[in-house]
Structures are given as C-alpha cells and as structure tokens.
Amino acid sequence: LMYFADLTVTEGEKSVKILTIGSGLANDATANYLYDIAKDAGISLVIGNMYVENASLEDHVKNVTDNQAVYQYNRIAVDGSSSIQSNQSLKSIIKGENWDYIAFEESMAMAGLKDGYQTYLPQLMELVDGLATNPDVKYLLHQPWAYAKSAAEDGFANYDRDQFKMYNAIVEAVWAAKESSVQIDLVVPVGTTVQNGRTSFIGDNFNRDGYHLDYGMGRYTAACTWLEIITGQSAVGKTYKPSAVNDVVAMVAQQAAHAAVESHDKVTSLENIGYE
C-alpha cells in the first residue's frame, strides 16, 4: 500500500481536495462558484471533476476495471486557476492526488432507480478505495436534481415525466444507498436544494436546457449546498455571489441550500422569500 501525505499551503491552511466522479452533474455544481464561495468563507479548495456525459454507476465500474481513459477532467487548483484535460482515466487521477473527499453520482436518468446504487455503487467504492492514497478519505454521494418540467430527455419517462415524482424517487434511492452497507459518509442534497428553489419566485428556471443547471443561479445554488456539506458553515449571509446573480436571487439560493442540508428529504417552501 502506498499513501501520500501532502499539504498544499495557503496562508498557513491546508487545502481541502475534492474529487467528483460522475456524469457531469457534479461538475455543474462545483466547477464555477464553489471555489470562490469557499474562499470567501476562509476555506482553500482544490476541486477535481471527472465525468463522462450521461455515464451511470455501472459505466464507472467498467471504466475503472478496464482502466479506460475516457473521462473529461476539470481541475481547479489551489490558486483558482482551472484546466481541462480529455481522455483521462479514473485510476491515474485518483492515485495522482491525496483527495480528502471523493464523490459519486448516478446518471440523471437513473438517479431515482435503486438498482444502480445497490448493485454498482458498492463495487465502484471498493475499486476506488483500493486506489485512494488518503487513508482518511471521506466518500460522498451527490444527489442529482429532477429534470425541469419542460425537459424532453428520454430518461424523464422513467418517472412518467412528473418532476415531483422524480424528485421523491431520487431522494428515496439516494438515502437508501446512504443507509445501506455502503460506506458513504455524507450526501450532498443538491436535488433538494434545487427543488426548494423552484418553490420561490424563480420557479422552474434553474436549468439551462431542462437538464443541466443554469450557468448563473443554478450553479450558484448548487455550490452553496456543497459549501455547507464540505465546511459545515451555513451558506446564508455569505457575501460572494457571481455577477450574473443579484442579491435577492443569491438570498434564495443560500436559503434553499441551507434548508436542504437541514431537511434533506423534504421540500421547504421559499414562496415568501424574495421581492416584496
């Protein structure tokens, strides 16, 4: 066994290293604003996102077993600079850094179906754990959001094209995986955050294509959720927000994230938060 003990130091603090393995949803949630929100909160991050669009947990098991170099790798360094590399393998990236958190996600179409979590997540975790260099690594499960009501994606048919039915199925499947024998340390309830936000004046406008998150408020809202899970700090009242997000929308995003972390398995109405 080989372990690395590396410190990336910024102003005397150890950087926290996060790696996500998924279908692109966690990249949506963490690639733009999480670094800046965390920096505003006094936390130094390194963020790596490995994804194949629409890849399922089953696909990741096959890819790591066969050492397939098919992943897009989006990395944000400790200084905030970003780089994108194509044709990367899970094995090389997992072993290449001393990750503090490694997160998994199911594809959006299958996110509310239990079979993938129960069958393939334990296999994937065992494979990844054999590659991880940090003996204290924590494993996360990223909870996807439901499609927008207008989504034309084929996978929406798995839930009778009913957004709330899909949301409930995702919550049930994700938390069943968390509570099973799979050693998931934390769930990142972005799906509940988005559903909370949809009850506000913003409505069902968190997605740019019915599937991926809006580049402004959608991604910011998801990043607020990640901040709370990783740091334990509330997103409410944080001053950083992207230029595309005004103060009122930022307030909704922060409240939606905080409510999701507090009550991960139910929707919290935010209909009274916003413009008077």
Side-chain angles (χ1 to χ4, degrees):
L1 296 176
M2 176 175 63
Y3 291 111
F4 294 101
D6 64 330
L7 292 177
T8 304
V9 179
T10 300
E11 299 181 353
E13 295 294 332
K14 177 184 180 297
S15 61
V16 177
K17 295 188 173 186
I18 304 166
L19 177 68
T20 74
I21 299 169
S23 61
L25 302 178
N27 183 71
D28 245 15
T30 63
N32 287 82
Y33 308 124
L34 177 58
Y35 176 90
D36 293 303
I37 300 172
K39 182 179 179 181
D40 185 50
I43 306 295
S44 174
L45 296 183
V46 172
I47 304 168
N49 291 295
M50 294 202 77
Y51 61 95
V52 175
E53 195 75 20
N54 298 315
S56 67
L57 291 170
E58 180 180 7
D59 293 328
H60 298 308
V61 170
K62 292 177 180 177
N63 289 339
V64 70
T65 300
D66 298 336
N67 198 26
Q68 293 294 308
V70 294
Y71 286 83
Q72 187 90 343
Y73 179 45
N74 187 2
R75 184 179 187 273
I76 301 173
V78 68
D79 63 358
S81 62
S82 61
S83 61
I84 299 176
Q85 302 173 51
S86 300
N87 302 319
Q88 299 298 303
S89 70
L90 288 173
K91 182 178 181 179
S92 64
I93 300 302
I94 294 168
K95 294 182 72 173
E97 296 207 43
N98 205 36
W99 302 105
D100 296 293
Y101 295 94
I102 298 178
F104 308 97
E105 71 183 10
E106 180 61 284
S107 66
M108 195 166 184
M110 301 179 68
L113 307 180
K114 292 183 180 180
D115 287 351
Y117 296 100
Q118 300 300 323
T119 303
Y120 297 108
L121 183 58
Q123 296 178 34
L124 180 59
M125 289 189 65
E126 182 178 1
L127 290 166
V128 170
D129 197 51
L131 298 170
T133 61
N134 184 352
D136 298 317
V137 63
K138 294 185 182 297
Y139 292 111
L140 309 180
L141 191 54
H142 183 226
Q143 179 203 332
W145 48 91
Y147 291 112
K149 292 177 180 177
S150 60
E153 301 291 328
D154 292 342
F156 204 8
N158 291 336
Y159 314 95
D160 300 323
R161 300 198 172 275
D162 183 319
Q163 183 187 89
F164 204 68
K165 181 176 181 178
M166 182 177 182
Y167 163 73
N168 284 327
I170 292 172
V171 169
E172 185 176 346
V174 166
W175 284 91
K178 169 66 172 69
E179 293 165 3
S180 71
S181 60
V182 177
Q183 296 303 306
I184 292 292
D185 294 288
L186 297 164
V187 172
V188 189
V190 173
T192 296
T193 297
V194 171
Q195 207 63 36
N196 289 344
R198 286 167 168 162
T199 70
S200 73
F201 73 90
I202 297 170
D204 196 17
N205 295 298
F206 282 82
N207 306 93
R208 63 184 186 266
D209 55 7
Y211 178 4
H212 298 92
L213 291 173
D214 167 81
Y215 287 119
M217 63 184 173
R219 287 187 165 188
Y220 178 70
T221 301
C224 286
T225 316
W226 275 85
L227 174 79
E228 293 217 3
I229 294 298
I230 295 298
T231 70
Q233 297 185 29
S234 173
V236 177
K238 290 291 184 285
T239 57
Y240 172 80
K241 62 180 182 61
S243 59
V245 174
N246 66 35
D247 289 342
V248 179
V249 171
M251 179 173 61
V252 170
Q254 293 171 5
Q255 292 286 353
H258 187 65
V261 173
E262 292 288 305
S263 302
H264 60 264
D265 59 349
K266 67 178 183 180
V267 177
T268 300
S269 176
L270 302 179
E271 61 182 347
N272 294 321
I273 296 178
Y275 295 102
E276 295 182 355

PDB file of all heavy atoms in Angstrom, residues 13 18 27 52 55 70 93 106 123 128 138 151 175 189 199 240 256 262:
ATOM      1  N   GLU A  13      -2.927  27.432   5.897  1.00  0.00           N
ATOM      2  CA  GLU A  13      -4.014  26.469   5.998  1.00  0.00           C
ATOM      3  C   GLU A  13      -3.864  25.376   4.957  1.00  0.00           C
ATOM      4  O   GLU A  13      -3.434  25.622   3.836  1.00  0.00           O
ATOM      5  CB  GLU A  13      -5.363  27.176   5.795  1.00  0.00           C
ATOM      6  CG  GLU A  13      -5.707  28.194   6.874  1.00  0.00           C
ATOM      7  CD  GLU A  13      -5.941  27.566   8.227  1.00  0.00           C
ATOM      8  OE1 GLU A  13      -6.370  26.393   8.269  1.00  0.00           O
ATOM      9  OE2 GLU A  13      -5.690  28.238   9.238  1.00  0.00           O
ATOM     10  N   ILE A  18     -11.189  17.916  -3.260  1.00  0.00           N
ATOM     11  CA  ILE A  18     -12.456  17.264  -3.580  1.00  0.00           C
ATOM     12  C   ILE A  18     -12.391  16.712  -4.991  1.00  0.00           C
ATOM     13  O   ILE A  18     -12.050  17.434  -5.933  1.00  0.00           O
ATOM     14  CB  ILE A  18     -13.625  18.266  -3.488  1.00  0.00           C
ATOM     15  CG1 ILE A  18     -13.681  18.935  -2.119  1.00  0.00           C
ATOM     16  CG2 ILE A  18     -14.951  17.585  -3.821  1.00  0.00           C
ATOM     17  CD1 ILE A  18     -14.573  20.159  -2.088  1.00  0.00           C
ATOM     18  N   ASN A  27     -19.989  18.308 -11.850  1.00  0.00           N
ATOM     19  CA  ASN A  27     -19.202  19.361 -12.477  1.00  0.00           C
ATOM     20  C   ASN A  27     -20.023  20.638 -12.584  1.00  0.00           C
ATOM     21  O   ASN A  27     -19.524  21.736 -12.306  1.00  0.00           O
ATOM     22  CB  ASN A  27     -18.735  18.911 -13.866  1.00  0.00           C
ATOM     23  CG  ASN A  27     -17.853  19.939 -14.541  1.00  0.00           C
ATOM     24  OD1 ASN A  27     -16.714  20.157 -14.146  1.00  0.00           O
ATOM     25  ND2 ASN A  27     -18.380  20.596 -15.566  1.00  0.00           N
ATOM     26  N   VAL A  52     -18.051  11.557 -17.618  1.00  0.00           N
ATOM     27  CA  VAL A  52     -18.440  11.178 -18.970  1.00  0.00           C
ATOM     28  C   VAL A  52     -19.926  11.494 -19.057  1.00  0.00           C
ATOM     29  O   VAL A  52     -20.707  11.025 -18.218  1.00  0.00           O
ATOM     30  CB  VAL A  52     -18.197   9.684 -19.253  1.00  0.00           C
ATOM     31  CG1 VAL A  52     -18.719   9.307 -20.634  1.00  0.00           C
ATOM     32  CG2 VAL A  52     -16.722   9.339 -19.112  1.00  0.00           C
ATOM     33  N   ALA A  55     -22.936   9.148 -18.023  1.00  0.00           N
ATOM     34  CA  ALA A  55     -22.401   7.882 -17.526  1.00  0.00           C
ATOM     35  C   ALA A  55     -23.123   7.451 -16.245  1.00  0.00           C
ATOM     36  O   ALA A  55     -23.425   8.263 -15.369  1.00  0.00           O
ATOM     37  CB  ALA A  55     -20.910   8.005 -17.262  1.00  0.00           C
ATOM     38  N   VAL A  70     -11.337   7.699 -20.704  1.00  0.00           N
ATOM     39  CA  VAL A  70     -12.467   8.277 -21.439  1.00  0.00           C
ATOM     40  C   VAL A  70     -13.067   9.495 -20.731  1.00  0.00           C
ATOM     41  O   VAL A  70     -14.086  10.019 -21.178  1.00  0.00           O
ATOM     42  CB  VAL A  70     -13.566   7.215 -21.647  1.00  0.00           C
ATOM     43  CG1 VAL A  70     -13.072   6.105 -22.565  1.00  0.00           C
ATOM     44  CG2 VAL A  70     -14.047   6.634 -20.316  1.00  0.00           C
ATOM     45  N   ILE A  93      -6.061   9.652 -12.058  1.00  0.00           N
ATOM     46  CA  ILE A  93      -6.437  10.863 -11.322  1.00  0.00           C
ATOM     47  C   ILE A  93      -6.639  10.559  -9.843  1.00  0.00           C
ATOM     48  O   ILE A  93      -6.234  11.342  -8.980  1.00  0.00           O
ATOM     49  CB  ILE A  93      -7.696  11.497 -11.929  1.00  0.00           C
ATOM     50  CG1 ILE A  93      -7.442  11.865 -13.396  1.00  0.00           C
ATOM     51  CG2 ILE A  93      -8.128  12.721 -11.128  1.00  0.00           C
ATOM     52  CD1 ILE A  93      -6.283  12.821 -13.619  1.00  0.00           C
ATOM     53  N   GLU A 106     -25.024   8.996  -9.612  1.00  0.00           N
ATOM     54  CA  GLU A 106     -25.672   8.211 -10.651  1.00  0.00           C
ATOM     55  C   GLU A 106     -26.072   9.155 -11.779  1.00  0.00           C
ATOM     56  O   GLU A 106     -26.203  10.371 -11.582  1.00  0.00           O
ATOM     57  CB  GLU A 106     -26.901   7.513 -10.071  1.00  0.00           C
ATOM     58  CG  GLU A 106     -27.700   6.640 -11.024  1.00  0.00           C
ATOM     59  CD  GLU A 106     -26.916   5.476 -11.621  1.00  0.00           C
ATOM     60  OE1 GLU A 106     -26.100   5.750 -12.531  1.00  0.00           O
ATOM     61  OE2 GLU A 106     -27.134   4.324 -11.194  1.00  0.00           O
ATOM     62  N   GLN A 123     -19.501  -1.774  -5.610  1.00  0.00           N
ATOM     63  CA  GLN A 123     -18.376  -2.213  -6.435  1.00  0.00           C
ATOM     64  C   GLN A 123     -17.450  -1.044  -6.774  1.00  0.00           C
ATOM     65  O   GLN A 123     -16.217  -1.159  -6.696  1.00  0.00           O
ATOM     66  CB  GLN A 123     -18.886  -2.841  -7.733  1.00  0.00           C
ATOM     67  CG  GLN A 123     -19.706  -4.105  -7.557  1.00  0.00           C
ATOM     68  CD  GLN A 123     -20.225  -4.636  -8.888  1.00  0.00           C
ATOM     69  OE1 GLN A 123     -19.561  -4.528  -9.920  1.00  0.00           O
ATOM     70  NE2 GLN A 123     -21.432  -5.189  -8.876  1.00  0.00           N
ATOM     71  N   VAL A 128     -12.437   2.177  -6.042  1.00  0.00           N
ATOM     72  CA  VAL A 128     -11.852   3.493  -5.784  1.00  0.00           C
ATOM     73  C   VAL A 128     -11.060   3.483  -4.480  1.00  0.00           C
ATOM     74  O   VAL A 128      -9.962   4.063  -4.393  1.00  0.00           O
ATOM     75  CB  VAL A 128     -12.949   4.570  -5.759  1.00  0.00           C
ATOM     76  CG1 VAL A 128     -12.400   5.900  -5.240  1.00  0.00           C
ATOM     77  CG2 VAL A 128     -13.538   4.759  -7.156  1.00  0.00           C
ATOM     78  N   LYS A 138     -12.979  10.721   2.807  1.00  0.00           N
ATOM     79  CA  LYS A 138     -14.411  10.592   3.061  1.00  0.00           C
ATOM     80  C   LYS A 138     -15.125  10.474   1.723  1.00  0.00           C
ATOM     81  O   LYS A 138     -14.775  11.147   0.754  1.00  0.00           O
ATOM     82  CB  LYS A 138     -14.949  11.784   3.850  1.00  0.00           C
ATOM     83  CG  LYS A 138     -14.400  11.884   5.267  1.00  0.00           C
ATOM     84  CD  LYS A 138     -15.069  13.003   6.029  1.00  0.00           C
ATOM     85  CE  LYS A 138     -14.496  13.134   7.425  1.00  0.00           C
ATOM     86  NZ  LYS A 138     -14.736  11.913   8.234  1.00  0.00           N
ATOM     87  N   ALA A 151     -38.565  19.344 -19.692  1.00  0.00           N
ATOM     88  CA  ALA A 151     -37.475  18.553 -20.269  1.00  0.00           C
ATOM     89  C   ALA A 151     -37.983  17.536 -21.277  1.00  0.00           C
ATOM     90  O   ALA A 151     -39.006  16.873 -21.059  1.00  0.00           O
ATOM     91  CB  ALA A 151     -36.701  17.844 -19.165  1.00  0.00           C
ATOM     92  N   TRP A 175     -30.918   8.028  -0.389  1.00  0.00           N
ATOM     93  CA  TRP A 175     -30.804   7.809   1.048  1.00  0.00           C
ATOM     94  C   TRP A 175     -30.887   6.340   1.416  1.00  0.00           C
ATOM     95  O   TRP A 175     -30.336   5.924   2.446  1.00  0.00           O
ATOM     96  CB  TRP A 175     -31.817   8.671   1.787  1.00  0.00           C
ATOM     97  CG  TRP A 175     -31.326  10.086   1.789  1.00  0.00           C
ATOM     98  CD1 TRP A 175     -31.590  11.056   0.867  1.00  0.00           C
ATOM     99  CD2 TRP A 175     -30.400  10.656   2.706  1.00  0.00           C
ATOM    100  NE1 TRP A 175     -30.903  12.196   1.167  1.00  0.00           N
ATOM    101  CE2 TRP A 175     -30.176  11.996   2.287  1.00  0.00           C
ATOM    102  CE3 TRP A 175     -29.766  10.184   3.855  1.00  0.00           C
ATOM    103  CZ2 TRP A 175     -29.314  12.845   2.983  1.00  0.00           C
ATOM    104  CZ3 TRP A 175     -28.907  11.047   4.542  1.00  0.00           C
ATOM    105  CH2 TRP A 175     -28.694  12.357   4.101  1.00  0.00           C
ATOM    106  N   PRO A 189     -27.130  17.140  -0.824  1.00  0.00           N
ATOM    107  CA  PRO A 189     -28.524  17.130  -1.304  1.00  0.00           C
ATOM    108  C   PRO A 189     -28.860  18.244  -2.288  1.00  0.00           C
ATOM    109  O   PRO A 189     -29.805  19.019  -2.080  1.00  0.00           O
ATOM    110  CB  PRO A 189     -29.316  17.260   0.001  1.00  0.00           C
ATOM    111  CG  PRO A 189     -28.450  18.125   0.854  1.00  0.00           C
ATOM    112  CD  PRO A 189     -27.033  17.703   0.539  1.00  0.00           C
ATOM    113  N   THR A 199     -39.690  26.458  -5.558  1.00  0.00           N
ATOM    114  CA  THR A 199     -40.905  26.955  -4.889  1.00  0.00           C
ATOM    115  C   THR A 199     -40.895  28.470  -4.748  1.00  0.00           C
ATOM    116  O   THR A 199     -41.908  29.063  -4.376  1.00  0.00           O
ATOM    117  CB  THR A 199     -41.063  26.337  -3.485  1.00  0.00           C
ATOM    118  OG1 THR A 199     -40.038  26.866  -2.608  1.00  0.00           O
ATOM    119  CG2 THR A 199     -40.974  24.819  -3.522  1.00  0.00           C
ATOM    120  N   TYR A 240     -20.035  36.365  -1.139  1.00  0.00           N
ATOM    121  CA  TYR A 240     -19.696  36.114  -2.539  1.00  0.00           C
ATOM    122  C   TYR A 240     -20.923  35.684  -3.339  1.00  0.00           C
ATOM    123  O   TYR A 240     -21.707  34.832  -2.909  1.00  0.00           O
ATOM    124  CB  TYR A 240     -18.623  35.034  -2.683  1.00  0.00           C
ATOM    125  CG  TYR A 240     -18.440  34.668  -4.143  1.00  0.00           C
ATOM    126  CD1 TYR A 240     -17.678  35.465  -4.985  1.00  0.00           C
ATOM    127  CD2 TYR A 240     -19.114  33.576  -4.698  1.00  0.00           C
ATOM    128  CE1 TYR A 240     -17.558  35.187  -6.338  1.00  0.00           C
ATOM    129  CE2 TYR A 240     -18.991  33.284  -6.049  1.00  0.00           C
ATOM    130  CZ  TYR A 240     -18.224  34.083  -6.864  1.00  0.00           C
ATOM    131  OH  TYR A 240     -18.134  33.804  -8.202  1.00  0.00           O
ATOM    132  N   ALA A 256     -32.216  28.159   0.087  1.00  0.00           N
ATOM    133  CA  ALA A 256     -32.583  26.859  -0.477  1.00  0.00           C
ATOM    134  C   ALA A 256     -31.561  25.801  -0.075  1.00  0.00           C
ATOM    135  O   ALA A 256     -31.913  24.664   0.282  1.00  0.00           O
ATOM    136  CB  ALA A 256     -32.683  26.950  -1.992  1.00  0.00           C
ATOM    137  N   GLU A 262     -30.546  21.098   6.172  1.00  0.00           N
ATOM    138  CA  GLU A 262     -31.287  20.900   7.423  1.00  0.00           C
ATOM    139  C   GLU A 262     -32.372  19.830   7.278  1.00  0.00           C
ATOM    140  O   GLU A 262     -32.614  19.045   8.198  1.00  0.00           O
ATOM    141  CB  GLU A 262     -31.924  22.227   7.862  1.00  0.00           C
ATOM    142  CG  GLU A 262     -30.928  23.281   8.293  1.00  0.00           C
ATOM    143  CD  GLU A 262     -30.290  22.959   9.630  1.00  0.00           C
ATOM    144  OE1 GLU A 262     -31.027  22.758  10.609  1.00  0.00           O
ATOM    145  OE2 GLU A 262     -29.038  22.901   9.683  1.00  0.00           O
TER     146      GLU A 262
END
